[in-house]
């Protein structure tokens, strides 16, 4: 479904502050894979997402999405097949527009056969039905401005918007890190359910080692722009949090250094 | 104020309300201070005047819409494709438009339209003579507002609105924000030019300086309307432009009938805009000041008790 072939990226090339963020990185994801990604600060986790999403063009290598070469496709043209969530819950929604307008923004885009007179009642019913699956009571607040919602509600809404038209790949960049623990668990559970229901190919960056192992079918560890560990299946099922940390130390010759890392095993 | 003066004021309010609607799109929705307006308004005046002189008043309105959209397009290309700062992009277009407007007006600073057929003389043919201008303008403005309302609720309109609110979101819903900015600026400036076109035929002349300060006038109307009607939904915002424009024109009419010099009006508009835009900051300062004073007062009372 998604393939990165020998991708490299250096920021500030040719200056003293040059930083190789991706170093000849190759990765292949099968359809329906749910990959969790962990790594130290500056390991290149978010850079991989930016490369896939098209925030910048890579220096070398090729990126394929569902068989199509997207290496040089501009960001907004890839966006149709990529769903993205960021740590900041404010990033994925328009605060001064209502809940239904936010949903319509992504939905009407994909359905050209729409009424020119805005949102129809049929679409409204569909939005209500979708919102009800979030269990946040948002289905009764279609006309509320999104700016009035809490961070958790906005992130849940963003998740719904990103997956309403099933994307070819869903990129989650620490999307629960800015939420309180209870809300984070709720959004994570929603993520698990939506991804499973839609069989969506997903990559999730997390600093919670516990959820990295608990969610998905594959875990990748990154260091200095490279993948240093890639576990799945039987091997991953047997892995515990301490073992994973030990593996990281072995592979990278340093301790996992992330000031926000969470070692909870739940 | 006499009834005739009041009626004339409302007619002007209807004409200028289109500038406020245009600024609602560029300033409020796209979050861009678009200075193209000053040149675009005169562009509408000039285009409409030349067409009216040639005997085609309605074609004049259409041409003005088109010319205004073109001016918006130039500003949009400057800022989205060529990365000129938004304010500067507007200034560049506005400056260029001064020469272009003169060219359209055959190098004359003033183009009188005496004894020409205009849309208003046409309306006098089938509407009650003393109300024909007001009714015709009300009809045109109502149609424009309806069109803008439908546009802003359509899929494309939603993306334009999201652009000013959260460009990241627009990009991630696979829409190029450059396109939505371009569309928004074209629509906004088309409306501004239409306003100028209606004015030229109304006052029976086009003058090269008509548009000077139009951004500030439009913003003053927009902001006063918001203060009165509120900033709720789309309908409320669009009605606000009408109300704000009416209030602004009434203030001017009163100023003119009193001893105030008409030349002071732009100063008054500037003050209205400056104060209303900085109002949140002023309010915050006042609140902090109040809080401090209360705290000091409380501390003093505690001291005296002790």
């Amino acid at each position: 479904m998604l393939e990165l072939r020998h991708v490299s990226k250096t920021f500030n090339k040719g200056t003293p502050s040059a930083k190789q963020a991706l170093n000849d990185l190759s990765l292949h994801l099968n359809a329906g894979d749910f990959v969790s990604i962990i790594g130290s600060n500056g390991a290149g986790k978010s850079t991989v997402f930016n490369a896939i999403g098209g925030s910048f063009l890579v220096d070398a290598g090729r990126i394929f999405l569902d068989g199509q070469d997207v290496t040089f496709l501009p960001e907004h043209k890839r966006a149709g097949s990529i769903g993205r969530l960021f740590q900041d819950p404010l990033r994925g929604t328009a605060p001064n527009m209502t809940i239904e307008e936010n949903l319509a923004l992504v939905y009407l885009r994909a359905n050209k056969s729409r009424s020119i007179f805005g949102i129809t009642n049929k679409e409204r019913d569909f939005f209500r039905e979708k919102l009800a699956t979030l269990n946040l009571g948002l289905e009764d607040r279609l006309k509320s401005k999104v700016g009035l919602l809490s961070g958790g509600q906005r992130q849940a809404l963003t998740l719904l918007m990103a997956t309403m038209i099933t994307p070819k790949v869903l990129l989650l960049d620490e999307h629960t890190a800015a939420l309180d623990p209870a809300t984070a668990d709720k959004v994570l559970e929603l993520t698990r359910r939506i991804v499973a229901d839609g069989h969506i190919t997903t990559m999730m960056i997390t600093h919670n080692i516990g959820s990295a192992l608990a969610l998905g079918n594959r875990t990748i560890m990154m260091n200095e722009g490279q993948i240093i560990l890639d576990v799945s299946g039987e091997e991953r099922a047997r892995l515990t949090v301490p073992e994973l940390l030990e593996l990281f130390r072995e592979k990278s010759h340093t301790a996992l250094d992330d000031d926000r890392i969470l070692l909870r095993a739940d | 104020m006499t009834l005739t003066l009041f009626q004339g004021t409302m007619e002007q309010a209807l004409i200028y309300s289109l500038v406020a609607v245009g600024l609602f799109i560029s300033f409020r929705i796209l979050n861009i201070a678009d200075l193209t307006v000053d040149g675009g308004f005169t562009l509408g005046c000039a285009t409409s005047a030349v067409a009216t002189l040639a005997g085609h008043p309605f074609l004049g309105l259409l041409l003005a819409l088109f010319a205004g959209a073109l001016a918006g397009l130039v500003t949009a290309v400057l800022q989205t494709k060529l990365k000129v700062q938004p304010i500067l992009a507007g200034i560049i277009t506005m400056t260029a438009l001064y020469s272009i407007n003169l060219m359209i007006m055959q190098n004359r600073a003033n183009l009188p339209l005496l004894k020409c057929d205009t849309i208003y003389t046409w309306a006098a043919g089938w509407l009650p003579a003393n109300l024909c201008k007001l009714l015709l303008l009300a009809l045109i403005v109502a149609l424009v507002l309806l069109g803008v309302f439908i546009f802003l609720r359509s899929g494309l309109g939603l993306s334009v609105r999201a652009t000013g609110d959260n460009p990241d979101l627009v990009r991630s819903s696979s829409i190029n924000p450059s396109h939505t900015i371009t569309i928004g600026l074209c629509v906004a400036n088309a409306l501004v030019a239409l306003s100028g076109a209606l004015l030229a035929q109304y006052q029976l002349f086009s003058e090269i300086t008509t548009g000077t300060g139009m951004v500030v006038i439009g913003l003053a109307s927009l902001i006063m309307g918001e203060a009165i009607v509120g900033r709720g939904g789309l309908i409320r915002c669009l009605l606000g432009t009408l109300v704000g424009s009416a209030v602004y024109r009434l203030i001017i009419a009163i100023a003119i009938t009193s001893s105030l010099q008409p030349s002071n009006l732009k100063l008054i508009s500037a003050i209205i805009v400056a104060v209303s835009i900085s109002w949140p900051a002023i309010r915050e300062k006042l609140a902090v000041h109040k809080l401090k004073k209360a705290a000091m007062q409380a501390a003093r009372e505690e001291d005296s008790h002790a």
Side-chain angles (χ1 to χ4, degrees):
Chain A
M1 182 54 87
L2 176 72
E3 192 178 358
L4 277 74
R5 278 190 210 152
H6 304 287
V7 168
S8 291
K9 176 73 189 178
T10 305
F11 290 113
N12 302 319
K13 216 175 194 168
T15 70
S17 59
K19 153 104 182 128
Q20 180 150 30
L22 296 180
N23 185 3
D24 193 31
L25 182 140
S26 293
L27 174 68
H28 181 90
L29 257 66
N30 293 316
D33 266 355
F34 186 164
V35 184
S36 56
I37 304 173
I38 50 177
S40 305
N41 286 333
K45 301 175 304 252
S46 296
T47 311
V48 172
F49 279 16
N50 287 336
I52 298 168
S55 305
F56 52 71
L57 297 180
V58 295
D59 299 336
R62 290 242 170 259
I63 301 169
F64 294 88
L65 187 58
D66 199 16
Q68 189 200 356
D69 186 343
V70 298
T71 315
F72 295 105
L73 212 59
E75 189 177 8
H76 66 270
K77 288 206 174 144
R78 299 185 203 188
S81 35
I82 298 175
R84 265 188 107 170
L85 261 74
F86 299 90
Q87 189 177 331
D88 180 1
L90 309 184
R91 235 177 120 168
T93 44
N96 288 314
M97 290 165 71
T98 62
I99 293 180
E100 64 171 18
E101 283 170 345
N102 269 275
L103 290 170
L105 189 68
V106 284
Y107 184 70
L108 297 185
R109 181 74 188 154
N111 291 270
K112 303 277 181 195
S113 61
R114 63 186 179 227
S115 146
I116 62 157
F117 295 105
I119 304 159
T120 62
N121 281 330
K122 205 174 139 207
E123 283 157 355
R124 209 162 272 136
D125 288 341
F126 175 70
F127 294 160
R128 218 171 266 132
E129 196 180 298
K130 282 279 180 185
L131 284 165
T133 64
L134 298 180
N135 276 328
L136 295 170
L138 294 181
E139 61 275 18
D140 302 321
R141 298 177 61 187
L142 279 182
K143 308 265 184 198
S144 295
K145 287 199 173 170
V146 168
L148 300 172
L149 305 184
S150 71
Q153 288 172 326
R154 281 183 80 163
Q155 201 66 314
L157 182 64
T158 310
L159 185 63
L160 190 64
M161 285 164 63
T163 54
M164 196 152 55
I165 311 299
T166 308
K168 284 178 181 162
V169 57
L170 179 64
L171 305 177
L172 308 169
D173 192 344
E174 298 199 30
H175 69 304
T176 60
L179 309 176
D180 66 79
T183 315
D185 284 347
K186 208 166 176 184
V187 172
L188 223 46
E189 173 54 27
L190 271 175
T191 309
R192 197 196 55 71
R193 209 177 64 215
I194 289 177
V195 166
D197 286 352
H199 306 288
I200 305 170
T201 312
T202 305
M203 293 172 87
M204 178 180 76
I205 297 174
T206 179
H207 61 246
N208 186 330
I209 307 281
S211 51
L213 283 178
L215 279 172
N217 64 339
R218 187 172 163 190
T219 298
I220 285 173
M221 212 176 242
M222 284 188 67
N223 192 46
E224 293 178 346
Q226 286 177 317
I227 293 171
I228 54 168
L229 181 74
D230 186 345
V231 286
S232 55
E234 193 73 356
E235 188 190 0
R236 179 174 179 271
R238 283 200 311 267
L239 214 54
T240 62
V241 170
E243 282 169 358
L244 191 64
L245 290 173
E246 185 50 42
L247 264 175
F248 183 88
R249 208 169 355 252
E250 233 169 71
K251 298 269 183 182
S252 68
H253 311 294
T254 55
L256 189 57
D257 162 37
D258 184 326
D259 40 18
R260 286 176 302 139
I261 206 91
L262 287 175
L263 303 176
R264 298 190 313 171
D266 57 358
Chain B
M1 185 183 289
T2 64
L3 196 63
T4 331
L5 180 59
F6 182 74
Q7 190 184 328
T9 308
M10 288 305 113
E11 287 162 3
Q12 286 180 25
L14 283 169
I15 294 177
Y16 286 105
S17 69
L18 295 183
V19 178
V21 177
L23 282 167
F24 169 67
I25 294 174
S26 57
F27 188 70
R28 280 291 178 233
I29 289 185
L30 290 176
N31 212 1
I32 293 171
D34 177 24
L35 299 188
T36 317
V37 169
D38 274 25
F41 190 82
T42 316
L43 178 67
C45 272
T47 317
S48 161
V50 169
T52 306
L53 271 178
H56 300 290
F58 281 97
L59 186 65
L61 299 190
L62 283 180
L63 284 176
L65 270 173
F66 183 70
L70 212 60
L73 178 68
V74 172
T75 306
V77 168
L78 281 173
Q79 58 174 274
T80 59
K81 302 280 177 222
L82 305 174
K83 308 289 173 205
V84 179
Q85 290 92 328
I87 293 249
L88 189 58
I91 294 176
I92 290 174
T93 315
M94 175 183 83
T95 309
L97 278 176
Y98 184 85
S99 305
I100 292 172
N101 291 338
L102 270 177
M103 256 181 250
I104 294 172
M105 287 161 63
Q106 289 126 21
N107 287 320
R108 288 161 60 186
N110 192 312
L111 211 60
L113 301 176
L114 297 169
K115 290 186 188 148
C116 283
D117 276 336
T118 66
I119 55 167
Y120 305 102
T121 57
W122 169 79
W126 56 280
L127 285 169
N130 54 342
L131 285 175
C132 67
K133 285 183 183 173
L134 192 66
L135 290 176
L136 177 68
L137 285 168
L139 184 71
I140 292 175
V141 171
L143 280 177
V144 169
L145 286 183
L146 184 69
V148 170
F149 179 70
I150 290 175
F151 166 67
L152 288 177
R153 276 166 43 112
S154 70
L156 184 62
L158 283 178
S159 345
V160 172
R161 284 162 65 196
T163 308
D165 218 10
N166 186 349
D168 278 337
L169 170 62
V170 173
R171 221 167 284 125
S172 68
S173 40
S174 70
I175 304 158
N176 189 346
S178 299
H179 291 173
T180 48
I181 288 176
T182 306
I183 290 163
L185 284 182
C186 284
V187 173
N189 282 293
L191 294 179
V192 169
L194 178 63
S195 174
L198 292 172
L199 183 74
Q201 296 189 28
Y202 179 84
Q203 64 185 14
L204 291 174
F205 65 87
S206 164
E207 205 194 18
I208 192 71
T209 59
T210 319
T212 312
M214 197 49 70
V215 175
V216 175
I217 292 172
L219 280 179
S221 312
L222 178 67
I223 291 166
M224 283 193 299
E226 285 171 354
I228 296 165
V229 183
R231 282 176 73 180
L234 212 48
I235 296 181
R236 196 171 265 245
C237 286
L238 289 176
L239 284 181
T241 59
L242 271 179
V243 173
S245 188
V247 171
Y248 182 84
R249 286 296 138 189
L250 276 175
I251 292 175
I252 287 193
I254 291 166
I256 289 178
T257 46
S258 65
S259 55
L260 211 72
Q261 288 277 324
S263 57
N264 293 341
L265 291 176
K266 283 197 173 141
L267 177 63
I268 296 171
S269 316
I271 292 172
I272 291 175
V273 170
V275 170
S276 40
I277 290 185
S278 51
W279 181 239
I282 297 171
R283 204 169 43 188
E284 200 173 315
K285 277 249 164 71
L286 286 176
V288 169
H289 182 73
K290 229 176 170 177
L291 218 63
K292 256 188 186 163
K293 225 171 142 184
M296 272 155 76
Q297 180 76 26
R300 250 200 307 275
E301 270 169 27
E302 227 165 76
D303 283 349
S304 63
H305 281 302

